[in-house]
Amino acid sequence: MIVCNASVTLFRSSTQRLFFFCRLSAELYYVRNGVLNDYALNFEVMVPAEIKELHFTWQSLAGRPLPYAISVQHSKPEAMHPAFLNISTSGTIPTSTQTFCVALPCSGDASAEVDTVISINVTLNRATNNVTRLNFKRRKICLLGHRHHFPQNDGSASPGGSSRQGMASPGRGEDESAAMYIAISSACALATLLAIALLACYLRSNKSGMHNSSLIRESRLGSSSSGGPFLAPVPVMSCGGSSSGSCASSRPRTAASSNFPATNPADLHHRIAQLTIQRCRVRLKSVVLEGTFGRVYRGSYTEEDGLEEEVLVKTVTDQASSIQVSLLLQEGMAMYGLSHKNILSILGVSIEDHTAPFLIYPHQGYTNLKRFLQKCKLTPEGVAHTLTTQEVVDMALQIISGMLYLHKKRLLHKDLAARNCVIDDKLRVQIADNALARDLFPADYHCLGDNENRPVKWLAIESLTQKQFTTASDVWSFGVLLWELTTLAQQPYVEIDPFEIPEYLRDGYRLAQPVNCPDELFGVMAYCWAMSPDDRPTFPQLQVCLQEFYTQLTRYV
């Protein structure tokens, strides 16, 4: 694929679907200011049965019209007639923004998925024969008895991409009024251009106020910080005891909501005081996870009325430094005061003199999601559970639900990954904080010479290079988490040195499509990894998209 050295912009208009089965209002750029979007070009996008036309908007920014040649090829002629174009098969790309239409007429004689390739050759320099070739892959769904009607080609198409009534490619069709089609095509083109103009004006008028908006439509909550997730870094704090050791009484373990995130040690101390419980009410049973400086225990907590409940306990070993203790408390308190079915919120904290602090979480049969996925692989001991695509999508939807709640609370996770989620035997997923994650999963974190251990292979490009975190960077991490779900927790970019990851991403490389991963699901992942944060989908859009895909999957069960 040759990168354009002249300025060309070509994108799919916002009137059509963006994510396969998803009805999203967005624009998919294939060429922007002369740079090809290889990922967009490589997608084989599904075109539902009810969609019979594709609209593309293009413009030459080189100061002159650029010659082009366009053709459409498709398989299974018994299911679809030859495609129609409302522009000529050769001409010049206009210097003003214009929209052209590609009609995909189903014959109605058979049900099939028709592979269609729209090819456009753009001549950048006739003297050197420099030609850029663009291939747009589509898979058109045609249904038996569902016939699309288009007028016969009259050969009157005009070059340059303007929407005219002439059809460039010959094809069969029913005898209908050409005037009716002219009116419909013109209205579609006008509506598309108007929508694009309104969207551009809206973005320009709101760009300056994006960072001050309360939730930015729950999709672009901005933050820039090099500190840990949720909470600003706090100085090393002492672990002075707040408990007398008596079990006569205990403070309530449920605190009311407070402002997020905490910005000073006093607020952190206040949160700990609100959740403090007596150590003697906690009983450790077995080690669930263990690292060099941290451990996660399965245990129990006894209420004042004698009722005992299963809990998970995070703590540090005797080798842990005061800095690691402070980091455990800081990151462990991230879920303070949150209540959502897909969020694992902390129940209590136990801090006593000369002992390691305990962070207590509800257990309810949960296990670490990454460890669960690894057990789903074929091993000598067998397979713990064979995940279906439907189950993977359902788990992803649960994670999206939790992330929507966090962002509504004006919180960023900054370390969304399978290792920081838990799952039970009914495949109910909860997002957890990342306390002890660096110690328990050291292979997932790397230091790039800046004395900061980060999840390099899960971070968005702007988080790596500029330490900028937004809801869009959480979306990037969600894409990697979705890749983990489909690969059963394989290590991302396993062959790439962590120091090379920023340059690797800058050059346009991304994770490959997993084996047996549907194109629809991989398409969602890849859009999460768009270079520009503004080009990534939002969590509300991802929820709509995956919910519709999940509905499609259930129809085959």
Side-chain angles (χ1 to χ4, degrees), residues 39-94:
Y39 286 93
L41 289 170
N42 288 331
F43 293 149
E44 187 176 42
V45 180
M46 298 291 289
V47 181
E50 65 270 19
I51 301 297
K52 62 181 180 179
E53 295 178 351
L54 302 177
H55 295 265
F56 295 85
T57 299
W58 60 0
Q59 179 185 10
S60 170
L61 304 179
R64 69 182 190 283
L66 294 175
Y68 76 88
I70 185 172
S71 62
V72 183
Q73 295 84 33
H74 73 276
S75 63
K76 302 179 182 178
E78 69 279 5
M80 192 175 85
H81 294 316
F84 293 114
L85 295 165
N86 68 340
I87 59 173
S88 60
T89 55
S90 62
T92 57
I93 299 177

Short mmCIF file of all heavy atoms in Angstrom, two decimals, residues 39-94:
data_model
loop_
_atom_site.label_atom_id
_atom_site.label_comp_id
_atom_site.label_asym_id
_atom_site.label_seq_id
_atom_site.Cartn_x
_atom_site.Cartn_y
_atom_site.Cartn_z
N TYR A 39 -5.66 0.01 9.13
CA TYR A 39 -6.55 -0.84 9.91
C TYR A 39 -7.98 -0.74 9.39
O TYR A 39 -8.69 -1.74 9.29
CB TYR A 39 -6.49 -0.45 11.39
CG TYR A 39 -5.21 -0.91 12.01
CD1 TYR A 39 -4.10 -0.07 12.06
CD2 TYR A 39 -5.07 -2.20 12.49
CE1 TYR A 39 -2.90 -0.50 12.61
CE2 TYR A 39 -3.89 -2.64 13.03
CZ TYR A 39 -2.80 -1.79 13.09
OH TYR A 39 -1.61 -2.22 13.61
N ALA A 40 -8.41 0.46 9.06
CA ALA A 40 -9.75 0.62 8.51
C ALA A 40 -9.88 -0.07 7.17
O ALA A 40 -10.89 -0.70 6.87
CB ALA A 40 -10.09 2.11 8.39
N LEU A 41 -8.83 0.02 6.35
CA LEU A 41 -8.87 -0.60 5.03
C LEU A 41 -8.88 -2.12 5.11
O LEU A 41 -9.41 -2.80 4.23
CB LEU A 41 -7.68 -0.13 4.18
CG LEU A 41 -7.73 1.32 3.73
CD1 LEU A 41 -6.40 1.73 3.12
CD2 LEU A 41 -8.85 1.54 2.71
N ASN A 42 -8.29 -2.68 6.15
CA ASN A 42 -8.19 -4.14 6.26
C ASN A 42 -9.45 -4.78 6.84
O ASN A 42 -9.58 -6.00 6.81
CB ASN A 42 -6.99 -4.52 7.13
CG ASN A 42 -5.67 -4.27 6.39
OD1 ASN A 42 -5.62 -4.33 5.17
ND2 ASN A 42 -4.62 -4.00 7.14
N PHE A 43 -10.36 -3.98 7.37
CA PHE A 43 -11.58 -4.56 7.93
C PHE A 43 -12.51 -5.02 6.82
O PHE A 43 -12.71 -4.34 5.83
CB PHE A 43 -12.32 -3.54 8.79
CG PHE A 43 -11.59 -3.15 10.03
CD1 PHE A 43 -11.73 -1.89 10.57
CD2 PHE A 43 -10.75 -4.05 10.66
CE1 PHE A 43 -11.05 -1.54 11.72
CE2 PHE A 43 -10.07 -3.71 11.81
CZ PHE A 43 -10.22 -2.45 12.34
N GLU A 44 -13.09 -6.19 7.01
CA GLU A 44 -14.16 -6.64 6.14
C GLU A 44 -15.47 -6.34 6.86
O GLU A 44 -15.93 -7.13 7.67
CB GLU A 44 -14.03 -8.13 5.82
CG GLU A 44 -15.02 -8.61 4.78
CD GLU A 44 -14.80 -10.05 4.41
OE1 GLU A 44 -14.55 -10.86 5.31
OE2 GLU A 44 -14.88 -10.38 3.21
N VAL A 45 -16.04 -5.20 6.57
CA VAL A 45 -17.18 -4.69 7.32
C VAL A 45 -18.47 -5.36 6.85
O VAL A 45 -18.72 -5.45 5.65
CB VAL A 45 -17.30 -3.17 7.19
CG1 VAL A 45 -18.48 -2.63 7.98
CG2 VAL A 45 -16.01 -2.50 7.64
N MET A 46 -19.26 -5.82 7.81
CA MET A 46 -20.55 -6.40 7.49
C MET A 46 -21.53 -5.31 7.09
O MET A 46 -21.60 -4.25 7.72
CB MET A 46 -21.09 -7.17 8.69
CG MET A 46 -20.22 -8.34 9.14
SD MET A 46 -20.21 -9.71 7.98
CE MET A 46 -21.85 -10.35 8.20
N VAL A 47 -22.31 -5.56 6.04
CA VAL A 47 -23.37 -4.65 5.60
C VAL A 47 -24.69 -5.38 5.79
O VAL A 47 -24.97 -6.36 5.08
CB VAL A 47 -23.18 -4.23 4.13
CG1 VAL A 47 -24.30 -3.27 3.71
CG2 VAL A 47 -21.83 -3.59 3.91
N PRO A 48 -25.52 -4.97 6.75
CA PRO A 48 -26.78 -5.68 7.03
C PRO A 48 -27.71 -5.68 5.83
O PRO A 48 -27.58 -4.88 4.90
CB PRO A 48 -27.37 -4.88 8.21
CG PRO A 48 -26.21 -4.18 8.81
CD PRO A 48 -25.27 -3.87 7.69
N ALA A 49 -28.68 -6.59 5.88
CA ALA A 49 -29.58 -6.78 4.76
C ALA A 49 -30.38 -5.52 4.44
O ALA A 49 -30.67 -5.24 3.27
CB ALA A 49 -30.53 -7.95 5.05
N GLU A 50 -30.74 -4.75 5.48
CA GLU A 50 -31.59 -3.57 5.23
C GLU A 50 -30.81 -2.39 4.65
O GLU A 50 -31.41 -1.42 4.20
CB GLU A 50 -32.30 -3.13 6.51
CG GLU A 50 -31.38 -2.62 7.61
CD GLU A 50 -30.92 -3.74 8.53
OE1 GLU A 50 -31.00 -4.92 8.12
OE2 GLU A 50 -30.47 -3.43 9.65
N ILE A 51 -29.47 -2.45 4.66
CA ILE A 51 -28.66 -1.38 4.09
C ILE A 51 -28.36 -1.72 2.63
O ILE A 51 -27.74 -2.74 2.34
CB ILE A 51 -27.34 -1.21 4.87
CG1 ILE A 51 -27.63 -0.89 6.34
CG2 ILE A 51 -26.49 -0.11 4.25
CD1 ILE A 51 -28.37 0.40 6.55
N LYS A 52 -28.77 -0.88 1.73
CA LYS A 52 -28.55 -1.16 0.31
C LYS A 52 -27.61 -0.16 -0.35
O LYS A 52 -27.23 -0.36 -1.50
CB LYS A 52 -29.89 -1.18 -0.43
CG LYS A 52 -30.65 0.14 -0.41
CD LYS A 52 -31.98 -0.01 -1.16
CE LYS A 52 -32.76 1.30 -1.16
NZ LYS A 52 -34.05 1.18 -1.89
N GLU A 53 -27.22 0.89 0.34
CA GLU A 53 -26.32 1.89 -0.24
C GLU A 53 -25.22 2.23 0.75
O GLU A 53 -25.46 2.32 1.96
CB GLU A 53 -27.09 3.17 -0.61
CG GLU A 53 -28.12 3.01 -1.70
CD GLU A 53 -28.86 4.30 -1.96
OE1 GLU A 53 -28.68 5.25 -1.16
OE2 GLU A 53 -29.61 4.37 -2.94
N LEU A 54 -24.02 2.44 0.26
CA LEU A 54 -22.89 2.94 1.05
C LEU A 54 -22.51 4.31 0.52
O LEU A 54 -22.36 4.49 -0.69
CB LEU A 54 -21.70 1.98 0.94
CG LEU A 54 -21.93 0.54 1.38
CD1 LEU A 54 -20.67 -0.28 1.15
CD2 LEU A 54 -22.35 0.48 2.84
N HIS A 55 -22.33 5.25 1.42
CA HIS A 55 -21.98 6.62 1.04
C HIS A 55 -20.56 6.92 1.50
O HIS A 55 -20.19 6.67 2.65
CB HIS A 55 -22.96 7.63 1.66
CG HIS A 55 -24.36 7.49 1.15
ND1 HIS A 55 -24.85 8.25 0.11
CD2 HIS A 55 -25.36 6.66 1.52
CE1 HIS A 55 -26.10 7.91 -0.13
NE2 HIS A 55 -26.44 6.93 0.71
N PHE A 56 -19.75 7.46 0.60
CA PHE A 56 -18.38 7.85 0.90
C PHE A 56 -18.20 9.33 0.57
O PHE A 56 -18.74 9.82 -0.43
CB PHE A 56 -17.38 7.03 0.07
CG PHE A 56 -17.37 5.56 0.40
CD1 PHE A 56 -18.28 4.70 -0.20
CD2 PHE A 56 -16.46 5.04 1.30
CE1 PHE A 56 -18.27 3.35 0.10
CE2 PHE A 56 -16.44 3.70 1.59
CZ PHE A 56 -17.35 2.84 1.00
N THR A 57 -17.45 10.01 1.40
CA THR A 57 -17.17 11.42 1.18
C THR A 57 -15.68 11.58 0.92
O THR A 57 -14.86 11.00 1.64
CB THR A 57 -17.58 12.26 2.40
OG1 THR A 57 -18.99 12.10 2.62
CG2 THR A 57 -17.27 13.73 2.19
N TRP A 58 -15.32 12.35 -0.10
CA TRP A 58 -13.92 12.52 -0.45
C TRP A 58 -13.63 13.94 -0.87
O TRP A 58 -14.53 14.72 -1.16
CB TRP A 58 -13.48 11.53 -1.51
CG TRP A 58 -14.20 11.58 -2.84
CD1 TRP A 58 -15.21 12.41 -3.22
CD2 TRP A 58 -13.94 10.74 -3.96
NE1 TRP A 58 -15.60 12.15 -4.51
CE2 TRP A 58 -14.83 11.14 -4.99
CE3 TRP A 58 -13.04 9.72 -4.23
CZ2 TRP A 58 -14.85 10.51 -6.24
CZ3 TRP A 58 -13.06 9.10 -5.47
CH2 TRP A 58 -13.96 9.50 -6.46
N GLN A 59 -12.34 14.27 -0.87
CA GLN A 59 -11.91 15.62 -1.24
C GLN A 59 -10.41 15.58 -1.53
O GLN A 59 -9.64 14.96 -0.79
CB GLN A 59 -12.20 16.62 -0.12
CG GLN A 59 -11.74 18.04 -0.45
CD GLN A 59 -11.94 18.98 0.72
OE1 GLN A 59 -12.25 18.54 1.83
NE2 GLN A 59 -11.76 20.27 0.50
N SER A 60 -9.99 16.23 -2.58
CA SER A 60 -8.57 16.43 -2.88
C SER A 60 -8.12 17.75 -2.26
O SER A 60 -8.69 18.79 -2.54
CB SER A 60 -8.32 16.45 -4.39
OG SER A 60 -6.99 16.86 -4.67
N LEU A 61 -7.10 17.67 -1.42
CA LEU A 61 -6.57 18.86 -0.77
C LEU A 61 -5.25 19.30 -1.41
O LEU A 61 -4.52 20.11 -0.85
CB LEU A 61 -6.35 18.59 0.73
CG LEU A 61 -7.58 18.13 1.51
CD1 LEU A 61 -7.23 17.87 2.96
CD2 LEU A 61 -8.71 19.13 1.40
N ALA A 62 -4.95 18.75 -2.58
CA ALA A 62 -3.69 19.05 -3.24
C ALA A 62 -3.74 20.34 -4.05
O ALA A 62 -2.75 20.73 -4.66
CB ALA A 62 -3.29 17.89 -4.16
N GLY A 63 -4.89 20.99 -4.09
CA GLY A 63 -5.02 22.21 -4.87
C GLY A 63 -5.39 21.94 -6.32
O GLY A 63 -5.54 22.86 -7.12
N ARG A 64 -5.57 20.67 -6.65
CA ARG A 64 -5.96 20.29 -8.02
C ARG A 64 -6.72 18.97 -7.94
O ARG A 64 -6.51 18.18 -7.01
CB ARG A 64 -4.72 20.12 -8.92
CG ARG A 64 -3.88 18.92 -8.55
CD ARG A 64 -2.64 18.79 -9.42
NE ARG A 64 -1.95 17.53 -9.22
CZ ARG A 64 -1.18 17.23 -8.21
NH1 ARG A 64 -0.98 18.13 -7.25
NH2 ARG A 64 -0.61 16.04 -8.12
N PRO A 65 -7.61 18.70 -8.88
CA PRO A 65 -8.29 17.41 -8.90
C PRO A 65 -7.30 16.29 -9.18
O PRO A 65 -6.36 16.44 -9.96
CB PRO A 65 -9.31 17.56 -10.04
CG PRO A 65 -9.46 19.03 -10.24
CD PRO A 65 -8.12 19.63 -9.92
N LEU A 66 -7.48 15.17 -8.53
CA LEU A 66 -6.61 14.01 -8.72
C LEU A 66 -7.35 12.93 -9.50
O LEU A 66 -8.48 12.57 -9.15
CB LEU A 66 -6.15 13.44 -7.37
CG LEU A 66 -5.26 14.35 -6.52
CD1 LEU A 66 -4.98 13.71 -5.17
CD2 LEU A 66 -3.94 14.63 -7.25
N PRO A 67 -6.74 12.39 -10.56
CA PRO A 67 -7.40 11.35 -11.36
C PRO A 67 -7.66 10.10 -10.53
O PRO A 67 -6.85 9.71 -9.67
CB PRO A 67 -6.40 11.07 -12.48
CG PRO A 67 -5.51 12.28 -12.53
CD PRO A 67 -5.42 12.78 -11.12
N TYR A 68 -8.79 9.46 -10.76
CA TYR A 68 -9.12 8.21 -10.07
C TYR A 68 -9.75 7.23 -11.05
O TYR A 68 -10.24 7.60 -12.13
CB TYR A 68 -10.09 8.46 -8.92
CG TYR A 68 -11.52 8.69 -9.39
CD1 TYR A 68 -12.40 7.62 -9.57
CD2 TYR A 68 -12.00 9.97 -9.65
CE1 TYR A 68 -13.69 7.83 -10.02
CE2 TYR A 68 -13.29 10.18 -10.09
CZ TYR A 68 -14.14 9.10 -10.28
OH TYR A 68 -15.42 9.31 -10.73
N ALA A 69 -9.74 5.96 -10.66
CA ALA A 69 -10.49 4.92 -11.36
C ALA A 69 -11.10 4.03 -10.28
O ALA A 69 -10.43 3.65 -9.32
CB ALA A 69 -9.58 4.10 -12.27
N ILE A 70 -12.39 3.71 -10.43
CA ILE A 70 -13.10 2.95 -9.41
C ILE A 70 -13.79 1.74 -10.03
O ILE A 70 -14.28 1.81 -11.16
CB ILE A 70 -14.13 3.85 -8.68
CG1 ILE A 70 -14.78 3.09 -7.52
CG2 ILE A 70 -15.18 4.37 -9.63
CD1 ILE A 70 -15.64 3.97 -6.63
N SER A 71 -13.78 0.64 -9.29
CA SER A 71 -14.47 -0.56 -9.74
C SER A 71 -14.98 -1.31 -8.52
O SER A 71 -14.49 -1.12 -7.41
CB SER A 71 -13.53 -1.47 -10.56
OG SER A 71 -12.44 -1.91 -9.75
N VAL A 72 -15.98 -2.17 -8.75
CA VAL A 72 -16.56 -2.96 -7.67
C VAL A 72 -16.66 -4.41 -8.13
O VAL A 72 -17.21 -4.71 -9.20
CB VAL A 72 -17.96 -2.44 -7.28
CG1 VAL A 72 -18.51 -3.24 -6.10
CG2 VAL A 72 -17.92 -0.96 -6.95
N GLN A 73 -16.07 -5.31 -7.34
CA GLN A 73 -16.16 -6.73 -7.63
C GLN A 73 -16.89 -7.42 -6.48
O GLN A 73 -16.75 -7.02 -5.32
CB GLN A 73 -14.78 -7.38 -7.80
CG GLN A 73 -13.98 -6.86 -9.01
CD GLN A 73 -13.24 -5.58 -8.70
OE1 GLN A 73 -12.80 -5.38 -7.57
NE2 GLN A 73 -13.10 -4.71 -9.70
N HIS A 74 -17.63 -8.46 -6.79
CA HIS A 74 -18.31 -9.20 -5.73
C HIS A 74 -18.46 -10.67 -6.10
O HIS A 74 -18.42 -11.03 -7.28
CB HIS A 74 -19.67 -8.58 -5.43
CG HIS A 74 -20.71 -8.82 -6.49
ND1 HIS A 74 -20.81 -8.04 -7.61
CD2 HIS A 74 -21.68 -9.77 -6.61
CE1 HIS A 74 -21.79 -8.48 -8.37
NE2 HIS A 74 -22.34 -9.53 -7.78
N SER A 75 -18.60 -11.49 -5.08
CA SER A 75 -18.83 -12.92 -5.28
C SER A 75 -20.32 -13.21 -5.30
O SER A 75 -21.15 -12.33 -5.04
CB SER A 75 -18.15 -13.72 -4.15
OG SER A 75 -18.73 -13.38 -2.89
N LYS A 76 -20.67 -14.43 -5.65
CA LYS A 76 -22.05 -14.94 -5.59
C LYS A 76 -23.04 -14.07 -6.36
O LYS A 76 -23.91 -13.42 -5.78
CB LYS A 76 -22.48 -15.07 -4.12
CG LYS A 76 -21.56 -15.99 -3.32
CD LYS A 76 -21.97 -16.08 -1.87
CE LYS A 76 -20.99 -16.98 -1.11
NZ LYS A 76 -21.31 -17.08 0.33
N PRO A 77 -22.90 -14.06 -7.68
CA PRO A 77 -23.83 -13.25 -8.50
C PRO A 77 -25.27 -13.71 -8.41
O PRO A 77 -26.19 -12.94 -8.75
CB PRO A 77 -23.27 -13.44 -9.93
CG PRO A 77 -22.47 -14.71 -9.87
CD PRO A 77 -21.91 -14.78 -8.51
N GLU A 78 -25.49 -14.94 -7.93
CA GLU A 78 -26.87 -15.39 -7.79
C GLU A 78 -27.60 -14.65 -6.65
O GLU A 78 -28.84 -14.61 -6.62
CB GLU A 78 -26.91 -16.90 -7.52
CG GLU A 78 -26.39 -17.35 -6.17
CD GLU A 78 -24.87 -17.45 -6.10
OE1 GLU A 78 -24.21 -17.06 -7.10
OE2 GLU A 78 -24.36 -17.89 -5.07
N ALA A 79 -26.82 -14.07 -5.72
CA ALA A 79 -27.44 -13.39 -4.58
C ALA A 79 -27.44 -11.87 -4.74
O ALA A 79 -28.27 -11.18 -4.12
CB ALA A 79 -26.73 -13.76 -3.29
N MET A 80 -26.53 -11.33 -5.56
CA MET A 80 -26.45 -9.87 -5.69
C MET A 80 -26.13 -9.50 -7.13
O MET A 80 -25.26 -10.09 -7.76
CB MET A 80 -25.38 -9.30 -4.76
CG MET A 80 -25.44 -7.79 -4.63
SD MET A 80 -24.25 -7.14 -3.42
CE MET A 80 -22.79 -7.01 -4.44
N HIS A 81 -26.87 -8.51 -7.64
CA HIS A 81 -26.60 -7.97 -8.96
C HIS A 81 -25.33 -7.14 -8.93
O HIS A 81 -24.86 -6.74 -7.86
CB HIS A 81 -27.77 -7.09 -9.41
CG HIS A 81 -29.04 -7.85 -9.63
ND1 HIS A 81 -29.10 -9.06 -10.27
CD2 HIS A 81 -30.32 -7.56 -9.27
CE1 HIS A 81 -30.34 -9.49 -10.31
NE2 HIS A 81 -31.11 -8.60 -9.70
N PRO A 82 -24.74 -6.81 -10.08
CA PRO A 82 -23.58 -5.91 -10.10
C PRO A 82 -23.90 -4.59 -9.42
O PRO A 82 -25.01 -4.07 -9.49
CB PRO A 82 -23.31 -5.72 -11.60
CG PRO A 82 -23.85 -6.96 -12.24
CD PRO A 82 -25.06 -7.34 -11.43
N ALA A 83 -22.90 -4.04 -8.75
CA ALA A 83 -23.09 -2.81 -7.99
C ALA A 83 -23.32 -1.62 -8.91
O ALA A 83 -22.88 -1.60 -10.06
CB ALA A 83 -21.87 -2.56 -7.10
N PHE A 84 -24.03 -0.62 -8.38
CA PHE A 84 -24.26 0.65 -9.08
C PHE A 84 -23.42 1.74 -8.43
O PHE A 84 -23.25 1.77 -7.22
CB PHE A 84 -25.74 1.05 -9.00
CG PHE A 84 -26.66 0.14 -9.75
CD1 PHE A 84 -27.58 -0.62 -9.05
CD2 PHE A 84 -26.63 0.06 -11.12
CE1 PHE A 84 -28.45 -1.45 -9.72
CE2 PHE A 84 -27.50 -0.78 -11.80
CZ PHE A 84 -28.42 -1.55 -11.10
N LEU A 85 -22.94 2.66 -9.25
CA LEU A 85 -22.24 3.85 -8.76
C LEU A 85 -22.94 5.08 -9.31
O LEU A 85 -23.40 5.07 -10.46
CB LEU A 85 -20.78 3.85 -9.23
CG LEU A 85 -19.86 2.74 -8.70
CD1 LEU A 85 -18.59 2.67 -9.52
CD2 LEU A 85 -19.53 3.00 -7.25
N ASN A 86 -23.02 6.14 -8.53
CA ASN A 86 -23.59 7.39 -9.05
C ASN A 86 -22.50 8.34 -9.50
O ASN A 86 -22.71 9.55 -9.59
CB ASN A 86 -24.52 8.05 -8.03
CG ASN A 86 -23.77 8.58 -6.82
OD1 ASN A 86 -22.66 8.16 -6.54
ND2 ASN A 86 -24.40 9.51 -6.11
N ILE A 87 -21.29 7.81 -9.71
CA ILE A 87 -20.20 8.55 -10.33
C ILE A 87 -19.64 7.68 -11.44
O ILE A 87 -19.90 6.47 -11.50
CB ILE A 87 -19.08 8.91 -9.33
CG1 ILE A 87 -18.52 7.64 -8.69
CG2 ILE A 87 -19.59 9.86 -8.27
CD1 ILE A 87 -17.31 7.88 -7.80
N SER A 88 -18.86 8.26 -12.34
CA SER A 88 -18.29 7.49 -13.43
C SER A 88 -17.15 6.61 -12.92
O SER A 88 -16.60 6.84 -11.84
CB SER A 88 -17.77 8.43 -14.52
OG SER A 88 -16.77 9.28 -14.00
N THR A 89 -16.81 5.59 -13.68
CA THR A 89 -15.76 4.65 -13.26
C THR A 89 -14.38 5.28 -13.33
O THR A 89 -13.43 4.72 -12.77
CB THR A 89 -15.80 3.40 -14.14
OG1 THR A 89 -15.70 3.78 -15.52
CG2 THR A 89 -17.08 2.62 -13.92
N SER A 90 -14.24 6.42 -13.96
CA SER A 90 -12.98 7.15 -13.96
C SER A 90 -13.28 8.64 -14.03
O SER A 90 -14.29 9.06 -14.58
CB SER A 90 -12.09 6.73 -15.13
OG SER A 90 -12.71 7.02 -16.37
N GLY A 91 -12.39 9.43 -13.46
CA GLY A 91 -12.59 10.86 -13.43
C GLY A 91 -11.57 11.50 -12.52
O GLY A 91 -10.44 11.02 -12.42
N THR A 92 -11.95 12.55 -11.82
CA THR A 92 -11.03 13.22 -10.89
C THR A 92 -11.72 13.44 -9.55
O THR A 92 -12.91 13.73 -9.49
CB THR A 92 -10.57 14.59 -11.46
OG1 THR A 92 -11.71 15.40 -11.72
CG2 THR A 92 -9.76 14.40 -12.72
N ILE A 93 -10.93 13.31 -8.48
CA ILE A 93 -11.43 13.59 -7.13
C ILE A 93 -11.62 15.09 -7.01
O ILE A 93 -10.70 15.86 -7.28
CB ILE A 93 -10.46 13.07 -6.07
CG1 ILE A 93 -10.29 11.56 -6.20
CG2 ILE A 93 -10.94 13.43 -4.67
CD1 ILE A 93 -9.28 10.98 -5.23
N PRO A 94 -12.77 15.56 -6.58
CA PRO A 94 -13.03 17.00 -6.54
C PRO A 94 -12.22 17.69 -5.44
O PRO A 94 -11.78 17.08 -4.46
CB PRO A 94 -14.53 17.07 -6.23
CG PRO A 94 -14.81 15.81 -5.49
CD PRO A 94 -13.92 14.77 -6.10
#
